[in-house]
Every structure is written in C-alpha cells, then in structure tokens.
Amino acid sequence: MFTTLSLPNGSILPNRLAKAAMEENMADVGQVPGPALHRLYQLWAQGGVGLIITGNVMIDGRAMTGPGGVVLEVNTPLAPFKAWARAARQNGAQVWMQLNHPGRQVMANMGGEAWAPSAVPVAMGKYSKLFAQPTAMSHEQIDEVIERFAATAYAAEKAGFTGVEIHAAHGYLLSQFLSPLTNKRNDQWGGSLANRARLLLDVVRTVRERVSPGFCVAIKLNSADFQRGGFSEKDAKQVILLLNELPIDLIELSGGSYESPAMQGNAADGRTLAREAYFLEFARDLAAIARMPVMTTGGIARKSVAQQVLDSGVAVAGIATAMAQVPDLPLQWKAGNEPYALPTPVEWKNKPMASLARMALVTRRLRALGEGHSRASRYSPLFSLIASQLRTKRITRRYREWRQRQV
C-alpha cells in the first residue's frame, strides 16, 4: 500500500491510500473554503495519504447538497481555493476536487432548484416532503450543466488542484440520469443505458477538453444503487466499458443514494453488505474489465482490510470516516500502529434518523479538526444530531441570504 501508482495521464500517486470525499458542510461566508477547511486539509496532507479528494464542490450555487457546501462557478474568487489547494498539497499528495450537482436531492427549505432527468421526487416516506419537487430538465439546462462541470474543472486547475473527480454516484444528478428509477425520459438522454449514460460521457469529454493533459480526471460511480429496479452491477459493468474509451485516470466505486444509503452500509433492496469494505466484491469484478485504475471506498478502517482491497486487484483503497477519526492513519499504519478509527455506532430503529446521526457524528468531528481540536472524542449521537440540526438552520439562513445577493 505504500508503493507508487502511475495513472494513465502520467501522473503519480505517492501511495495507494486515498482520503475519500466526505461532505464537510464547512464553507465560509460566500460558500468558499475558509481557514477551517484549510486547517482540516493540512492535517490530512501531513497524515501521509497519497491522494486527497475533497468533499463535493458544487458547480451551481442554486443547487446544493447542503447549506454549508462549497461553490465554484465561473466568477467565484479563486484566492480561497488556491489557499485550500496549497494546504492540501504541502506533503506531495495528489489533490482532486470532487465536482457535483445534486439534481433532485435538494432540501426544500433551501429554496434551490431541483433539476432532474425526470420529475420523480425523492421517496423517503414521511421525510419525502423535506425535499424539493424536481423538474425535468430541458435540453438547454442539460447543456448548461455540461458547461458548468467543465468551467469548474478549469477553475480547479487554475486554483492549483491536480485533478477533479466527477461525482456520478450516491443518487446525485449524473447518477439520476444513469438509473431507470429516476430517468423516465424518452429522448436521447433516456431509455437505453447508452442514452442514460450520455450525460456522464459528455461531461467527461467536455471536462477533458477544457483542462491540460497532465490534470487528472476521475469518476465516482455506483457499483449499484441497491434499489430494486435501479442501476445494477450489470449496468455498472457496461458503463465502465463505455468509459474505457475515454481518457480517464481513475474510477472510484461506491454505492447507494439518499433512499438507499449503502455508502453507510445499509441497502434498501435487502442485500447484506460486507461489514467492512462494503463494495469490494463489486469493485474486484469491475476492476477486472476497467482499463484505468479502480478505487473503492466504504467501511475501510483497518490496515488488514485496506491490504485485502489492494490484494484483490483494486488499485487504491479509499478511506473516509476513519480519516476523520484519525487524520494521520496512513502514517500510523506505516509505523506499525493500529489505532481504532471508527466513530460511535448508531443502531436506532428509525433508519433515516440513524443515517442523519451518523453523518452528524462525522461532520462534528471534521469541524473539531478544522478548529484545531485534534484529540479524538466519543460524541453522543443524539446530541450531535440535535446540534447539527440547529447549525443547519443557521447556515441555511446564511445561504439563502447569499443566494439573494447573487440574483
């Protein structure tokens, strides 16, 4: 795991361990990275990881996964992003900005725009009303989204990042186009898998044309949606065969969506995921047909599990929550130490609330690290969830005020 990896465009990863993306929800005023995010990424840079992937950066400030999200658009000032890139790159790691559009997964109280392939709302029982009603995208809006991905990638390169990861997983917009559950279109963007994959392929081509050859372009793809009738392992295999024809430097395999949070180890279709390295079985099979290196993320917190991932033929082990608990986990492993790197477990009967509590525990830890409190603590899930909800209300007001100033 501490050997280098050469990527298709000639770039080098110093080792095979990656800090995978987590949604920090820690943007400063103006939806830009500030000192807290800079400090957080400096910790990960010093922790010995070979690849750092940021939490998702939104390509459109009107469509956000959360009110504390970072936004990078054509006219966004680059100085805060340059400082972010410097902090993350100081120890030689590759640093990639994850680019995202949430599509229909937008909270109603944020007042944003929920564009989607089709007007299929989020289905989460009594919690469904918390999400905005999506509208089916016009051809002009699809073209705009393609251009926004490319413009943000270009800005990321200007800011000093070494690559981008295009988010096409977890039920966000590009993932929604791939899934037959959310894509009910009957034009060139829907129907067959080739049509449903068209937006992702067009985004990749346009991004690749806009950035320099040495700048890395990666994809985050679901190995499956883990919903009956959704994007399947067979679909993922076919999409990878299509992506094989494009200049892509790495594919990260994950799984799930808001409706089926497999990325937290819970699948809505009843399948039992592995207790650790949730998607390894899928990643191993898909890596066998991929021409580019494959990375998998989800539930990796022990050195032996990371080694198992790499021994299976997967090129990079992505570590998320464990890197929040122990930011220097790679250095610890290299020194022969095995620190406990899991947060407090949440086993509530109410699954959506348990999912929110797990996220609240992680984001609370990330904020503590960004504020300079590196000592690990065992947080209360209930208190963390309540505090998170109160904070979200406060920064939602701040976001809406920012949006009004943009009009």
Side-chain angles (χ1 to χ4, degrees):
M1 68 181 65
F2 295 105
T3 59
T4 60
L5 174 66
S6 297
L7 301 178
N9 73 345
S11 298
I12 305 292
L13 297 188
N15 61 54
R16 308 300 186 96
L17 300 175
K19 194 292 292 180
M22 289 174 278
E23 186 171 12
E24 307 99 355
N25 219 20
M26 288 169 56
D28 222 345
V29 174
Q31 309 304 133
V32 296
L37 271 175
H38 301 161
R39 281 192 293 268
L40 176 60
Y41 278 77
Q42 184 175 6
L43 278 177
W44 282 324
Q46 295 167 347
V49 76
L51 169 62
I52 296 173
I53 304 176
T54 71
N56 53 24
V57 172
M58 312 316 296
I59 63 169
D60 187 343
R62 299 167 300 178
M64 306 282 288
T65 57
V70 172
V71 177
L72 180 54
E73 298 174 299
V74 169
N75 297 318
T76 304
L78 284 184
F81 293 87
K82 291 179 178 179
W84 194 15
R86 280 196 304 271
R89 290 184 63 183
Q90 64 180 239
N91 204 28
Q94 287 273 339
V95 181
W96 299 351
M97 181 185 290
Q98 187 183 80
L99 312 184
N100 195 14
H101 189 295
R104 68 180 188 146
Q105 290 183 166
V106 172
M107 305 305 291
N109 65 352
M110 290 180 60
E113 298 184 6
W115 290 358
S118 305
V120 179
V122 175
M124 292 183 64
K126 64 181 180 181
Y127 301 104
S128 301
K129 63 181 182 295
L130 298 176
F131 294 88
Q133 173 64 41
T135 58
M137 294 171 68
S138 67
H139 288 230
E140 292 75 19
Q141 289 169 336
I142 290 173
D143 289 342
E144 179 184 334
V145 162
I146 294 169
E147 170 57 29
R148 281 181 174 274
F149 270 104
T152 302
Y154 177 74
E157 184 174 17
K158 286 179 64 178
F161 289 83
T162 62
V164 291
E165 181 183 64
I166 298 164
H167 203 329
H170 296 177
Y172 295 124
L173 182 64
L174 299 182
S175 179
Q176 290 162 31
F177 269 84
L178 289 170
S179 172
L181 290 178
T182 46
N183 186 344
K184 305 294 187 181
R185 302 177 74 99
N186 55 14
D187 58 7
Q188 69 265 40
W189 307 101
S192 68
L193 180 59
N195 281 354
R196 287 184 275 122
R198 189 185 304 275
L199 179 56
L200 171 59
L201 299 180
D202 284 357
V203 166
V204 172
R205 292 188 191 99
T206 309
V207 166
R208 186 71 272 176
E209 290 168 0
R210 196 71 56 90
V211 298
S212 64
F215 189 74
C216 298
V217 177
I219 310 294
K220 187 166 190 170
L221 184 71
N222 271 358
S223 54
D225 286 352
F226 298 93
Q227 290 178 274
R228 291 185 179 88
F231 185 76
S232 67
E233 302 95 303
K234 183 180 177 181
D235 291 337
K237 181 177 181 179
Q238 293 304 310
V239 170
I240 288 177
L241 292 175
L242 294 171
L243 292 172
N244 275 345
E245 305 304 316
L246 300 179
I248 294 169
D249 296 296
L250 182 139
I251 290 182
E252 178 187 359
L253 291 169
S254 186
S257 65
Y258 285 13
E259 293 170 339
S260 178
M263 56 282 199
Q264 294 187 357
N266 300 301
D269 62 4
R271 276 185 282 184
T272 301
L273 298 174
R275 192 169 61 87
E276 298 174 280
Y278 307 145
F279 310 110
L280 177 55
E281 179 182 347
F282 307 100
R284 182 188 62 226
D285 294 343
L286 294 170
I289 62 163
R291 293 181 187 169
M292 68 292 288
V294 167
M295 164 181 163
T296 189
T297 302
I300 300 172
R302 293 189 296 148
K303 183 179 181 181
S304 60
V305 176
Q307 191 61 58
Q308 179 188 358
V309 168
L310 300 175
D311 290 345
S312 74
V314 175
V316 180
I319 308 165
T321 303
M323 288 287 289
Q325 297 300 307
V326 185
D328 64 345
L329 194 60
L331 285 183
Q332 295 274 0
W333 285 351
K334 195 170 187 179
N337 301 323
E338 292 273 357
Y340 185 79
L342 291 173
T344 303
V346 184
E347 303 296 343
W348 298 348
K349 290 182 179 180
N350 186 316
K351 299 300 182 184
M353 294 303 290
S355 179
L356 287 173
R358 291 187 196 100
M359 289 190 289
L361 287 168
V362 174
T363 54
R364 183 180 178 185
R365 172 64 175 161
L366 294 177
R367 289 196 302 275
L369 291 172
E371 293 166 1
H373 308 304
S374 58
R375 185 173 179 178
S377 300
R378 304 297 287 179
Y379 299 133
S380 158
L382 180 59
F383 180 82
S384 298
L385 178 58
I386 293 170
S388 174
Q389 295 299 302
L390 292 173
R391 179 178 181 271
T392 297
K393 286 183 179 179
R394 185 174 72 253
I395 61 175
T396 296
R397 288 194 297 270
R398 188 186 75 181
Y399 164 74
R400 294 184 68 124
E401 291 168 359
W402 174 78
R403 277 279 297 118
Q404 290 171 358
R405 293 195 296 271
Q406 307 307 302
V407 176

